[in-house]
Amino acid sequence: MKFYKKILKPILFKFHPDYVHIVIVKLGKILGHWALGRMILRKFFFYENKRLTQNIFGYEFKNPIGIGGGFDKNADLIKTLPACGFGFVEIGSVTARAYKGNKRPWSVRLPEDQSLIVNYGLKNIGADKIAQKIRNNGRSVPLIINIAKTNDITIKGNYSIADYVYSFQKLQEKADIINLNISCPNTGDGVLFCESPELLDKLFLALSKIEISKPILLKLKPDIDDNTLYKICDLAEKYLFIKGFIISNLTVHRENLIHTSLGSIEKFRGGISGTPVKDLSNDMISKVYKYTNGKFIIIGLGGVFNAKDAYEKISLGANLVEIVTGLIYEGPSVVKSINKGLIELLEVDGFTNIADAIGCKNK
């Protein structure tokens, strides 16, 4: 981590984050393709401890730290990321039709706030090509496929539902878990299923008419009001194939940026990631866990940079934790560091396994 933060990060941060991400994905794809490359990555970044192992949905998660949706958009790093120590991998968002991305910049660093402005707009190669790609890629950890609505302003209402259903049917058998991203803030029509429980009910009804063989999670955004949040939880209880939530997506509100001048970034569109999302995410995790009595699986996302951040989400009710911005700011060894730190925190609280800590602050 010292090498990354003192030497590599200052170099990478001299270049635009859009180009850095492209280069990192290409390099990671090459390393992951070869057994020797994966072996080198494991030597530096892999850490394993049985106390971090959980069985969720019948899959073994060797540790609770996964990569969040939006980093590996096109399933290029399915072999690479596990070698870097991740206990599970989420790819996407994937949409029925390919989308080249919103107008650049796709991302802007806000280092003073350990944050990013993200405005990719669901850039991906489309469900058909992703399905083919995953078929040709073996994997060693559970795979979550993040499905969203194609970023096209002409796709609305019932057409939006058909768009989701197409991707779901195309990708379900390629995934271990499906994440329905109902909350991306960077799409053209601005209509989010997580803001309309009525529209979401129609989507679930459509899904209920097809054969569902994989657990489904819902990705929520942190900006919805409590009344809407609890309506979504009630819908999840109604449709038994909904097994949990990913909390949370980007926030559209920028008032949580403490050190960044809002005037300096007003020309940049997009949602906010990282530290400004942390408290919003934690608050929603706690609310969902308490409202549903812990019956749903929760994956915590937003503002995780170290073991303390991850453990806080777990203690509030998250079964698993994802990182994206934390990886960018802290470097590839952050996963190993977090997992080692989780073992130390379990020792302090006297827990035998990470699962014992889930929701401990809300019990």
Side-chain angles (χ1 to χ4, degrees):
M1 189 176 288
K2 289 182 179 179
F3 173 78
Y4 177 81
K5 297 190 81 169
K6 290 187 176 181
I7 299 175
L8 190 56
K9 179 180 170 183
I11 295 173
L12 293 177
F13 274 41
K14 289 183 181 296
F15 299 91
H16 195 280
D18 292 351
Y19 297 109
V20 172
H21 186 262
I22 291 169
V23 170
I24 292 297
V25 170
K26 287 183 177 180
L27 177 61
K29 185 178 180 180
I30 293 170
L31 287 171
H33 182 71
W34 302 103
L36 178 60
R38 297 193 298 272
M39 185 177 70
I40 292 171
L41 291 173
R42 284 177 65 91
K43 181 175 177 61
F44 285 100
F45 305 123
F46 192 82
Y47 173 78
E48 192 170 17
N49 189 305
K50 290 183 178 179
R51 296 175 68 181
L52 297 177
T53 302
Q54 299 178 78
N55 188 288
I56 299 174
F57 302 135
Y59 303 113
E60 182 182 56
F61 290 76
K62 293 185 177 179
N63 70 69
I65 307 302
I67 187 73
F71 188 83
D72 185 12
K73 301 177 186 304
N74 292 317
D76 291 311
L77 305 175
I78 291 176
K79 292 183 177 180
T80 311
L81 291 165
C84 294
F86 285 98
F88 64 101
V89 169
E90 179 177 339
I91 63 128
S93 294
V94 184
T95 56
R97 302 206 310 250
Y99 183 64
K100 64 181 181 179
N102 289 338
K103 184 178 178 181
R104 291 192 181 186
W106 293 325
S107 54
V108 177
R109 298 187 195 98
L110 306 177
E112 295 86 358
D113 281 292
Q114 289 189 299
S115 179
L116 297 169
I117 300 174
V118 182
N119 190 39
Y120 279 89
L122 302 175
K123 179 181 183 294
N124 74 105
I125 59 176
D128 293 335
K129 289 185 177 180
I130 293 288
Q132 180 67 29
K133 211 170 188 180
I134 294 174
R135 189 177 70 181
N136 296 329
N137 266 302
R139 57 182 182 266
S140 57
V141 299
L143 174 67
I144 301 175
I145 300 182
N146 178 324
I147 292 173
K149 182 179 76 70
T150 299
N151 190 354
D152 183 335
I153 60 174
T154 67
I155 300 175
K156 298 179 180 180
N158 291 333
Y159 293 105
S160 296
I161 293 170
D163 190 86
Y164 268 108
V165 170
Y166 178 87
S167 296
F168 185 89
Q169 290 181 301
K170 195 74 181 180
L171 295 166
Q172 177 180 205
E173 294 309 313
K174 313 296 181 185
D176 296 313
I177 300 166
I178 292 288
N179 166 21
L180 291 182
N181 184 355
I182 56 174
S183 58
C184 179
N186 302 318
T187 53
D189 64 1
V191 177
L192 302 178
F193 277 68
C194 70
E195 294 177 334
S196 174
E198 295 77 16
L199 188 59
L200 190 58
D201 193 10
K202 290 182 180 180
L203 173 60
F204 292 165
L205 183 61
L207 289 173
S208 71
K209 295 178 180 178
I210 63 178
E211 184 177 350
I212 296 175
S213 60
K214 302 295 171 65
I216 299 174
L217 308 178
L218 304 178
K219 189 168 188 177
L220 306 179
K221 73 168 191 171
D223 306 319
I224 55 177
D225 60 80
D226 288 353
N227 184 52
T228 303
L229 175 64
Y230 297 144
K231 284 183 178 180
I232 292 173
C233 290
D234 292 339
L235 274 178
E237 295 216 30
K238 174 183 175 183
Y239 293 92
L240 300 181
F241 51 78
I242 304 299
K243 302 298 184 181
F245 305 93
I246 295 182
I247 304 172
S248 66
N249 213 325
L250 308 169
T251 178
V252 296
H253 297 301
R254 301 187 174 189
E255 56 267 24
N256 286 353
L257 292 168
I258 298 173
H259 304 290
T260 303
S261 166
L262 297 184
S264 68
I265 59 171
E266 62 182 355
K267 66 179 179 180
F268 299 115
R269 294 184 57 201
I272 302 296
S273 76
T275 298
V277 185
K278 178 181 175 181
D279 290 342
L280 297 172
S281 167
N282 290 348
D283 184 52
M284 183 174 280
I285 290 169
S286 183
K287 287 176 180 176
V288 170
Y289 182 83
K290 287 190 286 188
Y291 185 77
T292 63
N293 295 313
K295 70 176 292 184
F296 288 99
I297 295 298
I298 296 175
I299 300 180
L301 170 64
V304 176
F305 292 82
N306 52 51
K308 183 180 177 183
D309 294 334
Y311 193 70
E312 184 174 17
K313 281 180 164 46
I314 292 168
S315 66
L316 290 171
N319 305 77
L320 302 166
V321 174
E322 291 182 337
I323 64 171
V324 179
T325 306
L327 177 65
I328 293 168
Y329 278 94
E330 300 298 316
S333 62
V334 68
V335 184
K336 183 177 183 178
S337 176
I338 289 174
N339 282 318
K340 281 188 169 184
L342 288 175
I343 293 297
E344 294 174 2
L345 291 167
L346 290 178
E347 290 282 355
V348 171
D349 285 346
F351 293 128
T352 302
N353 182 274
I354 193 68
D356 300 329
I358 297 169
C360 63
K361 284 187 177 181
N362 281 321
K363 292 178 180 176

